[in-house]
Amino acid sequence: MLYRIRTGVHWRDLPERYGPWKTVHERHRRWSADGMWEMLLRRIQAEADAAGEIDWDASIDSTSVRAHHQAAGARHAPPPAIKGGSAQAVRAARVWAELIDRLAEVVREVRRSADRAAGSLPRST
């Protein structure tokens, strides 16, 4: 999913090493529905804010931002989440917490790698 978000490829064009594109798409849809991406974003923002890496000053003029003509047909509610029992919900919450921890670590590693690459001298061929 992170590869697709980073590159912007279509779901059907995901490299085979990530598995069937339909599986990845369905997982992304479920995670969007149950708020996992928002939890991950909040956690990463909190860590970056605590490290002083975020400048919260922004000026946005909405009069200069136009919506795409297809935006009128967008879905208004997220897809329904999968329901389960309370014991299953506790297990699922634990799995989500572990997954969020792992995804946050992946994001931190990518940022460290990008920082190292930015600090290295350019190579000529």
Side-chain angles (χ1 to χ4, degrees):
M1 285 179 264
L2 297 176
Y3 175 84
R4 183 189 180 273
I5 291 168
R6 183 174 52 86
T7 63
V9 301
H10 294 279
W11 287 111
R12 292 177 187 265
D13 296 332
L14 282 176
E16 289 181 12
R17 68 180 177 263
Y18 298 118
W21 72 267
K22 288 183 178 184
T23 303
V24 178
H25 176 265
E26 180 61 21
R27 186 170 293 141
H28 182 272
R29 188 193 68 76
R30 285 194 324 256
W31 290 359
S32 296
D34 68 12
M36 195 281 293
W37 289 116
E38 287 82 12
M39 289 185 293
L40 177 62
L41 176 63
R42 283 193 299 269
R43 176 158 178 179
I44 293 169
Q45 281 179 333
E47 290 178 8
D49 191 30
E53 299 172 348
I54 296 180
D55 179 12
W56 291 103
D57 295 331
S59 176
I60 299 172
D61 181 4
S62 64
T63 60
S64 64
V65 178
R66 295 181 52 118
H68 191 272
H69 69 276
Q70 293 176 347
R75 182 183 287 178
H76 296 286
I82 298 174
K83 298 178 183 177
S86 61
Q88 183 180 0
V90 170
R91 284 191 301 274
R94 190 176 2 198
V95 170
W96 284 125
E98 292 171 4
L99 180 61
I100 289 170
D101 289 343
R102 180 65 186 124
L103 285 172
E105 181 57 36
V106 168
V107 170
R108 285 191 295 271
E109 180 56 36
V110 168
R111 292 176 76 197
R112 285 191 296 265
S113 177
D115 289 345
R116 284 191 302 270
S120 64
L121 296 174
R123 296 181 186 179
S124 61
T125 55

